Amino acid sequence: MSLLAGRLPLNDRVVLLSGRASFELVQKALRAGVGVLAAIGAPSSLAVNLSAAAGLTLAGFVRETHCNVYSHPERLTLD
């Protein structure tokens, strides 16, 4: 939808995945210019490596009060 509406890049958006963060989903997020990719499940090790190298903030095991941040935590605040 964002592509068709001309709203790329999505650097000011968080994309939430309902499962694991795979290497392929990180690639797609990078192509869309996403700044933060968050997943309910665990990221794969390849996803962590790619997100760290490419400057993407990657979070996993996202819950209501906490999450694990695997790369570039500087985009996230406690506010």
Side-chain angles (χ1 to χ4, degrees):
M1 297 299 252
S2 294
L3 173 64
L4 296 176
R7 287 184 260 158
L8 293 182
L10 300 174
N11 56 351
D12 61 341
R13 300 283 191 256
V14 174
V15 172
L16 180 61
L17 304 173
S18 62
R20 287 183 57 112
S22 67
F23 176 81
E24 294 82 6
L25 290 173
V26 169
Q27 284 181 316
K28 289 178 181 185
L30 291 169
R31 291 203 52 175
V34 172
V36 178
L37 184 64
I40 299 299
S44 70
S45 59
L46 285 174
V48 172
N49 292 342
L50 178 58
S51 63
L56 174 70
T57 298
L58 178 63
F61 298 108
V62 175
R63 302 295 183 262
E64 187 174 329
T65 59
H66 62 277
C67 67
N68 294 342
V69 181
Y70 295 92
S71 60
H72 299 279
E74 63 274 6
R75 282 196 183 91
L76 305 177
T77 65
L78 295 175
D79 294 341

